[in-house]
Amino acid sequence: MFEFNKLCNEYEKLNSLERQVLLAEKSVKVLASLKELDLPFADPVETLAAFIVGSVVSDGVIDEMNYLGIYPSLKEAFGEEFDFATIKNAYKVSKDVKKAVAQYTKDLHSILSYVDEELGVDIISLCLLVTSIDGKISLKEKKYIKQLCS
């Protein structure tokens, strides 16, 4: 596979322009591939977006300040049609946001079993790039995203 911590360190060292270019490259590849998947249990693109938004869930609610921090990266990754309201409403439907996050994590982990290793690494990379918009990936974010590696 790949070295998760090494990848985190590489992304934290990127300047804004390098991060933006890499984010655009990974987004195009990942979203095109995920849109081709026809899975009965989940929409792969929505699941990925919800998983990434789940990285800013704190104490059972979406932390608006942290969300605003990653919003530009989300727009870059998912395009202008990215609709946070849809993702946020998906979390509101669940009475237990933490359970919803766990379900999106489980679904994305399952989706990874349908793709090759290279695309799996690109999906994890995209998650890291979005969360590293401020030039760092917090320990909480690393732990959250690393769940996909097991």
Side-chain angles (χ1 to χ4, degrees):
M1 183 86 175
F2 67 102
E3 292 187 43
F4 181 81
N5 289 328
K6 184 178 177 183
L7 194 60
C8 290
N9 291 336
E10 286 178 32
Y11 290 164
E12 287 178 324
K13 291 178 185 174
L14 296 174
N15 66 40
S16 295
L17 182 59
E18 293 168 327
R19 183 175 293 102
Q20 187 175 10
V21 168
L22 193 54
L23 181 64
E25 289 172 4
K26 296 289 183 190
S27 297
V28 168
K29 181 179 180 184
V30 166
L31 296 182
S33 296
L34 290 180
K35 286 177 182 178
E36 291 179 8
L37 287 178
D38 183 24
L39 302 174
F41 62 91
D43 175 321
V45 174
E46 182 180 314
T47 300
L48 176 59
F51 173 80
I52 293 171
V53 171
S55 72
V56 297
V57 168
S58 176
D59 300 324
V61 296
I62 296 175
D63 183 315
E64 296 292 334
M65 292 304 292
N66 287 338
Y67 167 73
L68 291 173
I70 66 170
Y71 182 72
S73 291
L74 287 169
K75 284 291 240 194
E76 181 76 29
F78 293 96
E80 289 300 317
E81 68 277 356
F82 178 75
D83 182 11
F84 174 67
T86 302
I87 300 300
K88 190 170 180 179
N89 286 337
Y91 278 105
K92 282 184 178 179
V93 169
S94 174
K95 294 188 187 318
D96 186 342
V97 174
K98 288 183 181 182
K99 277 188 180 179
V101 171
Q103 186 60 52
Y104 284 121
T105 302
K106 180 181 173 188
D107 288 348
L108 187 55
H109 197 272
S110 294
I111 290 166
L112 289 173
S113 70
Y114 286 86
V115 302
D116 64 31
E117 184 176 336
E118 182 183 344
L119 182 58
V121 171
D122 285 340
I123 289 169
I124 292 168
S125 294
L126 183 59
C127 294
L128 291 170
L129 286 164
V130 169
T131 58
S132 71
I133 190 167
D134 59 356
K136 61 183 176 175
I137 305 168
S138 72
L139 188 57
K140 179 185 171 196
E141 291 165 337
K142 286 179 186 178
K143 184 178 175 185
Y144 178 75
I145 296 168
K146 195 170 186 175
Q147 297 175 85
L148 300 176
C149 299
S150 57

